[in-house]
Amino acid sequence: MPELPEVETIKNELEPHVVGRRVTGVSLPWKGIVREPSVNQFRARLIGQRITGLARRGKYLSFSLDSGESLIIHLKMSGSLLLKRNSTDDRFVRAVISLDDGLELYFRDPRKFGRMWLVDDTRTVVGKLGPEPLETGFTVKLLAGLLRGRAAPIKALLCDQDLIAGIGNMYADEALFAAGIHPLRPGGSLSADEVKRLHNAIRQVLRQAIGKKGASIINYYRPDSELGTAHFHFRVAHRRGEVCYNCGTPIQRITVRNRGTYFCPRCQRQ
DNA sequence: CCCGGAACCTGAAGGC
DNA sequence: TGCCTTCAGGTTCCGG
C-alpha cells in the first residue's frame, strides 16, 4: 500500500526514465481511472506533451508537462506504476502511457481505487494537504500546534492528510510504537516530551522506509517490478500474533476508524 | 469545525 | 471441493 516512502521510491526510480520523454499515446482499458477532465480531453491534451519533471506531494505523484499542465496520479491502495518495453497481457492494467523512446508506463491497479488528473494548477488536487513531514518546516512546535486541543485518537490524526501529508496506516502504527504512544490516546493529551518523541519517530520511520525502497505488504511494486524491503523491519504493523521485539508481549490488533491498528500493549500503554 | 462510520473496490487467505 | 467471512486501507461523503 503506497504511502509516502513508497511514492517517494516510485518517484526516484521513475524520474531518470520519464523526464525529457514525450507522450506518444494513451490507452485506457478502464476509463474510470481518469478523474479529471473527460476521458477524451485527457487523452487529447496529454498526447504530444513532454514530461519536464516529477514531484511527490504527500501520497500524490505529479508529472509536470511542457504546456504548464500537470498529470497527477494517486495509487490509493493497490496501484503500481510499471515501466515496460514490451506490452504485457495483464487484466489489472487500467492505463498505459506510451513514451517516445518505446517505453510504456503501466498503471496497474487490481482494486480500481487509483485515479489520475490532468490539471492546470496542482493546487486544485493537492491544495488542502498538510505539511511534508520530512521537510525542515515540520518542527516539533508545528506538530504540537497541529495536535493541540484535538480529541480524536492520535492514530487517526496521523493518518489525516489535511493535518500531515503522506503518513498512512502502516507508518502511523510504526511511528507510534517507536514513540511509545498508545494509538487511542487523544491527540491533544500528549505531553511535550511525547510530541517530541513522536516527531522524531515519524521522521526516523519514514526515512528508514525510503532507504529500504518502501514496504511490499500487498500489491506494491517498484517501477522495475522489484519489491521493497521496509516491511521486514516493521516492529508492529501486520505482526498480529507475533511478539514484541522489545518485551516479548504479543502484538495486538484493534480497529481505529475502521483501520487495522497494531501495537504493543506493554510498550504503548494507554 | 470536529469526530466517527460507511462506501468504494477486489483478491487472498482462512474456517468449516 | 467450495462457499462464506475476514482482512487489506486511501479518500470522500454523510450524519450528528
PDB file of all heavy atoms in Angstrom, chain B residues 1-15:
ATOM      1  P    DC B   1     -13.991  25.244   8.402  1.00  0.00           P
ATOM      2  OP1  DC B   1     -12.923  26.226   8.221  1.00  0.00           O
ATOM      3  OP2  DC B   1     -14.145  24.171   7.427  1.00  0.00           O
ATOM      4  O5'  DC B   1     -13.800  24.553   9.829  1.00  0.00           O
ATOM      5  C5'  DC B   1     -13.399  25.382  10.915  1.00  0.00           C
ATOM      6  C4'  DC B   1     -13.511  24.572  12.162  1.00  0.00           C
ATOM      7  O4'  DC B   1     -14.900  24.269  12.413  1.00  0.00           O
ATOM      8  C3'  DC B   1     -12.776  23.229  12.087  1.00  0.00           C
ATOM      9  O3'  DC B   1     -12.035  23.051  13.280  1.00  0.00           O
ATOM     10  C2'  DC B   1     -13.879  22.212  11.950  1.00  0.00           C
ATOM     11  C1'  DC B   1     -15.039  22.879  12.697  1.00  0.00           C
ATOM     12  N1   DC B   1     -16.375  22.439  12.209  1.00  0.00           N
ATOM     13  C2   DC B   1     -17.269  21.818  13.102  1.00  0.00           C
ATOM     14  O2   DC B   1     -16.924  21.673  14.277  1.00  0.00           O
ATOM     15  N3   DC B   1     -18.476  21.416  12.657  1.00  0.00           N
ATOM     16  C4   DC B   1     -18.799  21.600  11.391  1.00  0.00           C
ATOM     17  N4   DC B   1     -19.997  21.186  11.005  1.00  0.00           N
ATOM     18  C5   DC B   1     -17.915  22.231  10.455  1.00  0.00           C
ATOM     19  C6   DC B   1     -16.717  22.625  10.899  1.00  0.00           C
ATOM     20  P    DC B   2     -11.049  21.770  13.354  1.00  0.00           P
ATOM     21  OP1  DC B   2      -9.938  22.165  14.237  1.00  0.00           O
ATOM     22  OP2  DC B   2     -10.783  21.293  11.973  1.00  0.00           O
ATOM     23  O5'  DC B   2     -11.904  20.647  14.084  1.00  0.00           O
ATOM     24  C5'  DC B   2     -12.418  20.886  15.386  1.00  0.00           C
ATOM     25  C4'  DC B   2     -13.137  19.645  15.866  1.00  0.00           C
ATOM     26  O4'  DC B   2     -14.425  19.557  15.220  1.00  0.00           O
ATOM     27  C3'  DC B   2     -12.405  18.341  15.540  1.00  0.00           C
ATOM     28  O3'  DC B   2     -12.300  17.578  16.729  1.00  0.00           O
ATOM     29  C2'  DC B   2     -13.283  17.654  14.502  1.00  0.00           C
ATOM     30  C1'  DC B   2     -14.655  18.224  14.819  1.00  0.00           C
ATOM     31  N1   DC B   2     -15.605  18.261  13.668  1.00  0.00           N
ATOM     32  C2   DC B   2     -16.846  17.631  13.803  1.00  0.00           C
ATOM     33  O2   DC B   2     -17.120  17.067  14.862  1.00  0.00           O
ATOM     34  N3   DC B   2     -17.710  17.681  12.760  1.00  0.00           N
ATOM     35  C4   DC B   2     -17.370  18.316  11.633  1.00  0.00           C
ATOM     36  N4   DC B   2     -18.255  18.331  10.636  1.00  0.00           N
ATOM     37  C5   DC B   2     -16.106  18.955  11.482  1.00  0.00           C
ATOM     38  C6   DC B   2     -15.250  18.907  12.525  1.00  0.00           C
ATOM     39  P    DC B   3     -11.339  16.313  16.763  1.00  0.00           P
ATOM     40  OP1  DC B   3     -10.805  16.230  18.132  1.00  0.00           O
ATOM     41  OP2  DC B   3     -10.435  16.375  15.607  1.00  0.00           O
ATOM     42  O5'  DC B   3     -12.359  15.111  16.537  1.00  0.00           O
ATOM     43  C5'  DC B   3     -13.383  14.880  17.506  1.00  0.00           C
ATOM     44  C4'  DC B   3     -14.371  13.866  16.964  1.00  0.00           C
ATOM     45  O4'  DC B   3     -15.083  14.430  15.848  1.00  0.00           O
ATOM     46  C3'  DC B   3     -13.743  12.574  16.455  1.00  0.00           C
ATOM     47  O3'  DC B   3     -14.119  11.519  17.332  1.00  0.00           O
ATOM     48  C2'  DC B   3     -14.321  12.382  15.053  1.00  0.00           C
ATOM     49  C1'  DC B   3     -15.484  13.374  15.009  1.00  0.00           C
ATOM     50  N1   DC B   3     -15.768  13.937  13.666  1.00  0.00           N
ATOM     51  C2   DC B   3     -17.011  13.696  13.071  1.00  0.00           C
ATOM     52  O2   DC B   3     -17.839  13.012  13.667  1.00  0.00           O
ATOM     53  N3   DC B   3     -17.268  14.221  11.843  1.00  0.00           N
ATOM     54  C4   DC B   3     -16.335  14.963  11.227  1.00  0.00           C
ATOM     55  N4   DC B   3     -16.636  15.456  10.018  1.00  0.00           N
ATOM     56  C5   DC B   3     -15.071  15.216  11.815  1.00  0.00           C
ATOM     57  C6   DC B   3     -14.821  14.689  13.032  1.00  0.00           C
ATOM     58  P    DG B   4     -13.487  10.087  17.162  1.00  0.00           P
ATOM     59  OP1  DG B   4     -13.394   9.500  18.519  1.00  0.00           O
ATOM     60  OP2  DG B   4     -12.278  10.170  16.319  1.00  0.00           O
ATOM     61  O5'  DG B   4     -14.599   9.302  16.357  1.00  0.00           O
ATOM     62  C5'  DG B   4     -15.904   9.207  16.895  1.00  0.00           C
ATOM     63  C4'  DG B   4     -16.813   8.544  15.902  1.00  0.00           C
ATOM     64  O4'  DG B   4     -17.007   9.416  14.769  1.00  0.00           O
ATOM     65  C3'  DG B   4     -16.288   7.224  15.340  1.00  0.00           C
ATOM     66  O3'  DG B   4     -17.340   6.285  15.366  1.00  0.00           O
ATOM     67  C2'  DG B   4     -15.864   7.577  13.916  1.00  0.00           C
ATOM     68  C1'  DG B   4     -16.848   8.681  13.574  1.00  0.00           C
ATOM     69  N9   DG B   4     -16.390   9.617  12.548  1.00  0.00           N
ATOM     70  C8   DG B   4     -15.158  10.219  12.456  1.00  0.00           C
ATOM     71  N7   DG B   4     -15.051  11.033  11.432  1.00  0.00           N
ATOM     72  C5   DG B   4     -16.283  10.957  10.819  1.00  0.00           C
ATOM     73  C6   DG B   4     -16.771  11.611   9.656  1.00  0.00           C
ATOM     74  O6   DG B   4     -16.182  12.410   8.924  1.00  0.00           O
ATOM     75  N1   DG B   4     -18.092  11.260   9.369  1.00  0.00           N
ATOM     76  C2   DG B   4     -18.839  10.376  10.110  1.00  0.00           C
ATOM     77  N2   DG B   4     -20.081  10.153   9.684  1.00  0.00           N
ATOM     78  N3   DG B   4     -18.403   9.751  11.208  1.00  0.00           N
ATOM     79  C4   DG B   4     -17.121  10.094  11.492  1.00  0.00           C
ATOM     80  P    DG B   5     -17.067   4.740  15.203  1.00  0.00           P
ATOM     81  OP1  DG B   5     -17.703   4.061  16.354  1.00  0.00           O
ATOM     82  OP2  DG B   5     -15.632   4.551  14.918  1.00  0.00           O
ATOM     83  O5'  DG B   5     -17.890   4.369  13.890  1.00  0.00           O
ATOM     84  C5'  DG B   5     -19.240   4.811  13.765  1.00  0.00           C
ATOM     85  C4'  DG B   5     -19.643   4.771  12.316  1.00  0.00           C
ATOM     86  O4'  DG B   5     -19.054   5.896  11.612  1.00  0.00           O
ATOM     87  C3'  DG B   5     -19.197   3.510  11.564  1.00  0.00           C
ATOM     88  O3'  DG B   5     -20.318   2.963  10.897  1.00  0.00           O
ATOM     89  C2'  DG B   5     -18.146   4.018  10.587  1.00  0.00           C
ATOM     90  C1'  DG B   5     -18.598   5.449  10.346  1.00  0.00           C
ATOM     91  N9   DG B   5     -17.547   6.346   9.898  1.00  0.00           N
ATOM     92  C8   DG B   5     -16.297   6.516  10.451  1.00  0.00           C
ATOM     93  N7   DG B   5     -15.571   7.404   9.827  1.00  0.00           N
ATOM     94  C5   DG B   5     -16.388   7.844   8.801  1.00  0.00           C
ATOM     95  C6   DG B   5     -16.155   8.810   7.789  1.00  0.00           C
ATOM     96  O6   DG B   5     -15.140   9.485   7.594  1.00  0.00           O
ATOM     97  N1   DG B   5     -17.256   8.962   6.944  1.00  0.00           N
ATOM     98  C2   DG B   5     -18.430   8.258   7.071  1.00  0.00           C
ATOM     99  N2   DG B   5     -19.380   8.529   6.165  1.00  0.00           N
ATOM    100  N3   DG B   5     -18.669   7.360   8.007  1.00  0.00           N
ATOM    101  C4   DG B   5     -17.606   7.205   8.834  1.00  0.00           C
ATOM    102  P    DA B   6     -20.236   1.552  10.211  1.00  0.00           P
ATOM    103  OP1  DA B   6     -21.291   0.711  10.793  1.00  0.00           O
ATOM    104  OP2  DA B   6     -18.832   1.096  10.210  1.00  0.00           O
ATOM    105  O5'  DA B   6     -20.642   1.904   8.710  1.00  0.00           O
ATOM    106  C5'  DA B   6     -21.735   2.788   8.474  1.00  0.00           C
ATOM    107  C4'  DA B   6     -21.742   3.218   7.022  1.00  0.00           C
ATOM    108  O4'  DA B   6     -20.685   4.192   6.800  1.00  0.00           O
ATOM    109  C3'  DA B   6     -21.506   2.080   6.026  1.00  0.00           C
ATOM    110  O3'  DA B   6     -22.428   2.214   4.956  1.00  0.00           O
ATOM    111  C2'  DA B   6     -20.057   2.286   5.578  1.00  0.00           C
ATOM    112  C1'  DA B   6     -19.881   3.796   5.692  1.00  0.00           C
ATOM    113  N9   DA B   6     -18.519   4.235   5.980  1.00  0.00           N
ATOM    114  C8   DA B   6     -17.691   3.781   6.969  1.00  0.00           C
ATOM    115  N7   DA B   6     -16.520   4.389   6.998  1.00  0.00           N
ATOM    116  C5   DA B   6     -16.598   5.302   5.956  1.00  0.00           C
ATOM    117  C6   DA B   6     -15.680   6.249   5.466  1.00  0.00           C
ATOM    118  N6   DA B   6     -14.473   6.438   5.979  1.00  0.00           N
ATOM    119  N1   DA B   6     -16.062   6.998   4.414  1.00  0.00           N
ATOM    120  C2   DA B   6     -17.283   6.805   3.899  1.00  0.00           C
ATOM    121  N3   DA B   6     -18.233   5.952   4.278  1.00  0.00           N
ATOM    122  C4   DA B   6     -17.820   5.219   5.323  1.00  0.00           C
ATOM    123  P    DA B   7     -22.573   1.050   3.904  1.00  0.00           P
ATOM    124  OP1  DA B   7     -24.009   0.956   3.560  1.00  0.00           O
ATOM    125  OP2  DA B   7     -21.823  -0.134   4.378  1.00  0.00           O
ATOM    126  O5'  DA B   7     -21.801   1.649   2.638  1.00  0.00           O
ATOM    127  C5'  DA B   7     -22.151   2.934   2.149  1.00  0.00           C
ATOM    128  C4'  DA B   7     -21.203   3.349   1.054  1.00  0.00           C
ATOM    129  O4'  DA B   7     -19.955   3.812   1.645  1.00  0.00           O
ATOM    130  C3'  DA B   7     -20.821   2.213   0.079  1.00  0.00           C
ATOM    131  O3'  DA B   7     -21.049   2.643  -1.253  1.00  0.00           O
ATOM    132  C2'  DA B   7     -19.337   1.966   0.349  1.00  0.00           C
ATOM    133  C1'  DA B   7     -18.868   3.309   0.896  1.00  0.00           C
ATOM    134  N9   DA B   7     -17.736   3.211   1.810  1.00  0.00           N
ATOM    135  C8   DA B   7     -17.573   2.349   2.858  1.00  0.00           C
ATOM    136  N7   DA B   7     -16.447   2.514   3.513  1.00  0.00           N
ATOM    137  C5   DA B   7     -15.817   3.544   2.846  1.00  0.00           C
ATOM    138  C6   DA B   7     -14.587   4.196   3.046  1.00  0.00           C
ATOM    139  N6   DA B   7     -13.740   3.885   4.015  1.00  0.00           N
ATOM    140  N1   DA B   7     -14.264   5.187   2.204  1.00  0.00           N
ATOM    141  C2   DA B   7     -15.118   5.510   1.224  1.00  0.00           C
ATOM    142  N3   DA B   7     -16.302   4.980   0.937  1.00  0.00           N
ATOM    143  C4   DA B   7     -16.594   3.984   1.800  1.00  0.00           C
ATOM    144  P    DC B   8     -21.135   1.553  -2.377  1.00  0.00           P
ATOM    145  OP1  DC B   8     -22.209   1.979  -3.301  1.00  0.00           O
ATOM    146  OP2  DC B   8     -21.132   0.217  -1.776  1.00  0.00           O
ATOM    147  O5'  DC B   8     -19.735   1.746  -3.130  1.00  0.00           O
ATOM    148  C5'  DC B   8     -19.411   3.017  -3.676  1.00  0.00           C
ATOM    149  C4'  DC B   8     -17.932   3.081  -3.928  1.00  0.00           C
ATOM    150  O4'  DC B   8     -17.228   3.042  -2.661  1.00  0.00           O
ATOM    151  C3'  DC B   8     -17.369   1.901  -4.733  1.00  0.00           C
ATOM    152  O3'  DC B   8     -16.810   2.408  -5.927  1.00  0.00           O
ATOM    153  C2'  DC B   8     -16.275   1.302  -3.843  1.00  0.00           C
ATOM    154  C1'  DC B   8     -15.981   2.453  -2.912  1.00  0.00           C
ATOM    155  N1   DC B   8     -15.398   2.049  -1.608  1.00  0.00           N
ATOM    156  C2   DC B   8     -14.258   2.715  -1.158  1.00  0.00           C
ATOM    157  O2   DC B   8     -13.773   3.611  -1.856  1.00  0.00           O
ATOM    158  N3   DC B   8     -13.710   2.354   0.019  1.00  0.00           N
ATOM    159  C4   DC B   8     -14.272   1.373   0.743  1.00  0.00           C
ATOM    160  N4   DC B   8     -13.700   1.061   1.894  1.00  0.00           N
ATOM    161  C5   DC B   8     -15.434   0.693   0.310  1.00  0.00           C
ATOM    162  C6   DC B   8     -15.970   1.057  -0.870  1.00  0.00           C
ATOM    163  P    DC B   9     -17.026   1.604  -7.284  1.00  0.00           P
ATOM    164  OP1  DC B   9     -16.881   2.532  -8.398  1.00  0.00           O
ATOM    165  OP2  DC B   9     -18.235   0.765  -7.163  1.00  0.00           O
ATOM    166  O5'  DC B   9     -15.753   0.685  -7.274  1.00  0.00           O
ATOM    167  C5'  DC B   9     -15.885  -0.661  -6.936  1.00  0.00           C
ATOM    168  C4'  DC B   9     -14.523  -1.211  -6.656  1.00  0.00           C
ATOM    169  O4'  DC B   9     -14.153  -0.927  -5.303  1.00  0.00           O
ATOM    170  C3'  DC B   9     -14.491  -2.719  -6.784  1.00  0.00           C
ATOM    171  O3'  DC B   9     -14.013  -3.029  -8.085  1.00  0.00           O
ATOM    172  C2'  DC B   9     -13.522  -3.188  -5.699  1.00  0.00           C
ATOM    173  C1'  DC B   9     -13.336  -1.959  -4.811  1.00  0.00           C
ATOM    174  N1   DC B   9     -13.700  -2.187  -3.386  1.00  0.00           N
ATOM    175  C2   DC B   9     -12.684  -2.299  -2.432  1.00  0.00           C
ATOM    176  O2   DC B   9     -11.514  -2.214  -2.806  1.00  0.00           O
ATOM    177  N3   DC B   9     -13.021  -2.509  -1.133  1.00  0.00           N
ATOM    178  C4   DC B   9     -14.299  -2.592  -0.785  1.00  0.00           C
ATOM    179  N4   DC B   9     -14.580  -2.793   0.502  1.00  0.00           N
ATOM    180  C5   DC B   9     -15.341  -2.472  -1.740  1.00  0.00           C
ATOM    181  C6   DC B   9     -15.014  -2.276  -3.024  1.00  0.00           C
ATOM    182  P    DT B  10     -14.477  -4.398  -8.737  1.00  0.00           P
ATOM    183  OP1  DT B  10     -14.276  -4.232 -10.187  1.00  0.00           O
ATOM    184  OP2  DT B  10     -15.783  -4.782  -8.174  1.00  0.00           O
ATOM    185  O5'  DT B  10     -13.388  -5.409  -8.182  1.00  0.00           O
ATOM    186  C5'  DT B  10     -12.019  -5.155  -8.416  1.00  0.00           C
ATOM    187  C4'  DT B  10     -11.202  -6.090  -7.576  1.00  0.00           C
ATOM    188  O4'  DT B  10     -11.354  -5.758  -6.176  1.00  0.00           O
ATOM    189  C3'  DT B  10     -11.605  -7.565  -7.703  1.00  0.00           C
ATOM    190  O3'  DT B  10     -10.437  -8.309  -7.925  1.00  0.00           O
ATOM    191  C2'  DT B  10     -12.209  -7.902  -6.356  1.00  0.00           C
ATOM    192  C1'  DT B  10     -11.430  -6.950  -5.444  1.00  0.00           C
ATOM    193  N1   DT B  10     -12.081  -6.662  -4.145  1.00  0.00           N
ATOM    194  C2   DT B  10     -11.286  -6.538  -3.033  1.00  0.00           C
ATOM    195  O2   DT B  10     -10.079  -6.646  -3.070  1.00  0.00           O
ATOM    196  N3   DT B  10     -11.961  -6.288  -1.871  1.00  0.00           N
ATOM    197  C4   DT B  10     -13.323  -6.150  -1.709  1.00  0.00           C
ATOM    198  O4   DT B  10     -13.810  -5.921  -0.611  1.00  0.00           O
ATOM    199  C5   DT B  10     -14.102  -6.282  -2.915  1.00  0.00           C
ATOM    200  C7   DT B  10     -15.586  -6.143  -2.857  1.00  0.00           C
ATOM    201  C6   DT B  10     -13.454  -6.536  -4.065  1.00  0.00           C
ATOM    202  P    DG B  11     -10.535  -9.788  -8.538  1.00  0.00           P
ATOM    203  OP1  DG B  11     -10.290  -9.675  -9.971  1.00  0.00           O
ATOM    204  OP2  DG B  11     -11.733 -10.467  -8.007  1.00  0.00           O
ATOM    205  O5'  DG B  11      -9.258 -10.459  -7.884  1.00  0.00           O
ATOM    206  C5'  DG B  11      -8.077  -9.676  -7.728  1.00  0.00           C
ATOM    207  C4'  DG B  11      -7.385 -10.079  -6.462  1.00  0.00           C
ATOM    208  O4'  DG B  11      -8.105  -9.588  -5.316  1.00  0.00           O
ATOM    209  C3'  DG B  11      -7.243 -11.586  -6.273  1.00  0.00           C
ATOM    210  O3'  DG B  11      -5.911 -11.871  -5.902  1.00  0.00           O
ATOM    211  C2'  DG B  11      -8.230 -11.912  -5.169  1.00  0.00           C
ATOM    212  C1'  DG B  11      -8.235 -10.620  -4.362  1.00  0.00           C
ATOM    213  N9   DG B  11      -9.463 -10.379  -3.609  1.00  0.00           N
ATOM    214  C8   DG B  11     -10.757 -10.419  -4.075  1.00  0.00           C
ATOM    215  N7   DG B  11     -11.648 -10.135  -3.168  1.00  0.00           N
ATOM    216  C5   DG B  11     -10.899  -9.886  -2.017  1.00  0.00           C
ATOM    217  C6   DG B  11     -11.309  -9.537  -0.716  1.00  0.00           C
ATOM    218  O6   DG B  11     -12.458  -9.346  -0.293  1.00  0.00           O
ATOM    219  N1   DG B  11     -10.225  -9.382   0.132  1.00  0.00           N
ATOM    220  C2   DG B  11      -8.928  -9.551  -0.224  1.00  0.00           C
ATOM    221  N2   DG B  11      -8.020  -9.361   0.725  1.00  0.00           N
ATOM    222  N3   DG B  11      -8.519  -9.880  -1.436  1.00  0.00           N
ATOM    223  C4   DG B  11      -9.556 -10.045  -2.288  1.00  0.00           C
ATOM    224  P    DA B  12      -5.409 -13.377  -5.838  1.00  0.00           P
ATOM    225  OP1  DA B  12      -4.151 -13.391  -6.596  1.00  0.00           O
ATOM    226  OP2  DA B  12      -6.505 -14.318  -6.166  1.00  0.00           O
ATOM    227  O5'  DA B  12      -5.077 -13.535  -4.294  1.00  0.00           O
ATOM    228  C5'  DA B  12      -4.339 -12.510  -3.635  1.00  0.00           C
ATOM    229  C4'  DA B  12      -4.289 -12.819  -2.151  1.00  0.00           C
ATOM    230  O4'  DA B  12      -5.541 -12.442  -1.528  1.00  0.00           O
ATOM    231  C3'  DA B  12      -4.052 -14.289  -1.826  1.00  0.00           C
ATOM    232  O3'  DA B  12      -3.127 -14.354  -0.755  1.00  0.00           O
ATOM    233  C2'  DA B  12      -5.436 -14.781  -1.416  1.00  0.00           C
ATOM    234  C1'  DA B  12      -6.062 -13.537  -0.806  1.00  0.00           C
ATOM    235  N9   DA B  12      -7.521 -13.450  -0.931  1.00  0.00           N
ATOM    236  C8   DA B  12      -8.283 -13.696  -2.038  1.00  0.00           C
ATOM    237  N7   DA B  12      -9.567 -13.502  -1.855  1.00  0.00           N
ATOM    238  C5   DA B  12      -9.659 -13.106  -0.534  1.00  0.00           C
ATOM    239  C6   DA B  12     -10.757 -12.746   0.286  1.00  0.00           C
ATOM    240  N6   DA B  12     -12.014 -12.725  -0.143  1.00  0.00           N
ATOM    241  N1   DA B  12     -10.498 -12.388   1.567  1.00  0.00           N
ATOM    242  C2   DA B  12      -9.225 -12.409   1.976  1.00  0.00           C
ATOM    243  N3   DA B  12      -8.116 -12.726   1.315  1.00  0.00           N
ATOM    244  C4   DA B  12      -8.409 -13.070   0.048  1.00  0.00           C
ATOM    245  P    DA B  13      -2.511 -15.768  -0.338  1.00  0.00           P
ATOM    246  OP1  DA B  13      -1.079 -15.506  -0.088  1.00  0.00           O
ATOM    247  OP2  DA B  13      -2.934 -16.806  -1.296  1.00  0.00           O
ATOM    248  O5'  DA B  13      -3.221 -16.060   1.053  1.00  0.00           O
ATOM    249  C5'  DA B  13      -3.365 -15.009   2.006  1.00  0.00           C
ATOM    250  C4'  DA B  13      -4.312 -15.455   3.103  1.00  0.00           C
ATOM    251  O4'  DA B  13      -5.679 -15.217   2.695  1.00  0.00           O
ATOM    252  C3'  DA B  13      -4.215 -16.943   3.444  1.00  0.00           C
ATOM    253  O3'  DA B  13      -4.219 -17.076   4.847  1.00  0.00           O
ATOM    254  C2'  DA B  13      -5.474 -17.533   2.829  1.00  0.00           C
ATOM    255  C1'  DA B  13      -6.441 -16.368   2.993  1.00  0.00           C
ATOM    256  N9   DA B  13      -7.579 -16.388   2.086  1.00  0.00           N
ATOM    257  C8   DA B  13      -7.608 -16.752   0.771  1.00  0.00           C
ATOM    258  N7   DA B  13      -8.797 -16.659   0.216  1.00  0.00           N
ATOM    259  C5   DA B  13      -9.608 -16.210   1.244  1.00  0.00           C
ATOM    260  C6   DA B  13     -10.981 -15.910   1.315  1.00  0.00           C
ATOM    261  N6   DA B  13     -11.818 -16.023   0.279  1.00  0.00           N
ATOM    262  N1   DA B  13     -11.474 -15.492   2.492  1.00  0.00           N
ATOM    263  C2   DA B  13     -10.646 -15.367   3.534  1.00  0.00           C
ATOM    264  N3   DA B  13      -9.335 -15.624   3.593  1.00  0.00           N
ATOM    265  C4   DA B  13      -8.880 -16.039   2.393  1.00  0.00           C
ATOM    266  P    DG B  14      -3.693 -18.461   5.529  1.00  0.00           P
ATOM    267  OP1  DG B  14      -2.419 -18.144   6.194  1.00  0.00           O
ATOM    268  OP2  DG B  14      -3.771 -19.548   4.531  1.00  0.00           O
ATOM    269  O5'  DG B  14      -4.794 -18.729   6.636  1.00  0.00           O
ATOM    270  C5'  DG B  14      -5.435 -17.633   7.291  1.00  0.00           C
ATOM    271  C4'  DG B  14      -6.842 -18.042   7.696  1.00  0.00           C
ATOM    272  O4'  DG B  14      -7.734 -17.874   6.571  1.00  0.00           O
ATOM    273  C3'  DG B  14      -6.971 -19.499   8.142  1.00  0.00           C
ATOM    274  O3'  DG B  14      -7.694 -19.541   9.358  1.00  0.00           O
ATOM    275  C2'  DG B  14      -7.745 -20.168   7.006  1.00  0.00           C
ATOM    276  C1'  DG B  14      -8.587 -18.995   6.499  1.00  0.00           C
ATOM    277  N9   DG B  14      -9.041 -19.130   5.125  1.00  0.00           N
ATOM    278  C8   DG B  14      -8.280 -19.467   4.023  1.00  0.00           C
ATOM    279  N7   DG B  14      -8.975 -19.491   2.914  1.00  0.00           N
ATOM    280  C5   DG B  14     -10.263 -19.166   3.308  1.00  0.00           C
ATOM    281  C6   DG B  14     -11.450 -19.034   2.541  1.00  0.00           C
ATOM    282  O6   DG B  14     -11.609 -19.202   1.334  1.00  0.00           O
ATOM    283  N1   DG B  14     -12.535 -18.683   3.328  1.00  0.00           N
ATOM    284  C2   DG B  14     -12.492 -18.472   4.680  1.00  0.00           C
ATOM    285  N2   DG B  14     -13.633 -18.142   5.285  1.00  0.00           N
ATOM    286  N3   DG B  14     -11.391 -18.586   5.412  1.00  0.00           N
ATOM    287  C4   DG B  14     -10.319 -18.931   4.661  1.00  0.00           C
ATOM    288  P    DG B  15      -7.827 -20.931  10.185  1.00  0.00           P
ATOM    289  OP1  DG B  15      -7.346 -20.662  11.560  1.00  0.00           O
ATOM    290  OP2  DG B  15      -7.247 -22.026   9.390  1.00  0.00           O
ATOM    291  O5'  DG B  15      -9.402 -21.126  10.233  1.00  0.00           O
ATOM    292  C5'  DG B  15     -10.244 -19.994  10.564  1.00  0.00           C
ATOM    293  C4'  DG B  15     -11.696 -20.390  10.381  1.00  0.00           C
ATOM    294  O4'  DG B  15     -12.034 -20.341   8.968  1.00  0.00           O
ATOM    295  C3'  DG B  15     -12.024 -21.799  10.863  1.00  0.00           C
ATOM    296  O3'  DG B  15     -13.271 -21.780  11.546  1.00  0.00           O
ATOM    297  C2'  DG B  15     -12.084 -22.625   9.578  1.00  0.00           C
ATOM    298  C1'  DG B  15     -12.568 -21.582   8.563  1.00  0.00           C
ATOM    299  N9   DG B  15     -12.121 -21.819   7.196  1.00  0.00           N
ATOM    300  C8   DG B  15     -10.835 -22.075   6.784  1.00  0.00           C
ATOM    301  N7   DG B  15     -10.733 -22.226   5.479  1.00  0.00           N
ATOM    302  C5   DG B  15     -12.027 -22.071   5.023  1.00  0.00           C
ATOM    303  C6   DG B  15     -12.544 -22.134   3.696  1.00  0.00           C
ATOM    304  O6   DG B  15     -11.946 -22.343   2.643  1.00  0.00           O
ATOM    305  N1   DG B  15     -13.927 -21.914   3.678  1.00  0.00           N
ATOM    306  C2   DG B  15     -14.708 -21.674   4.782  1.00  0.00           C
ATOM    307  N2   DG B  15     -16.005 -21.487   4.562  1.00  0.00           N
ATOM    308  N3   DG B  15     -14.227 -21.616   6.011  1.00  0.00           N
ATOM    309  C4   DG B  15     -12.898 -21.825   6.056  1.00  0.00           C
TER     310       DG B  15
END
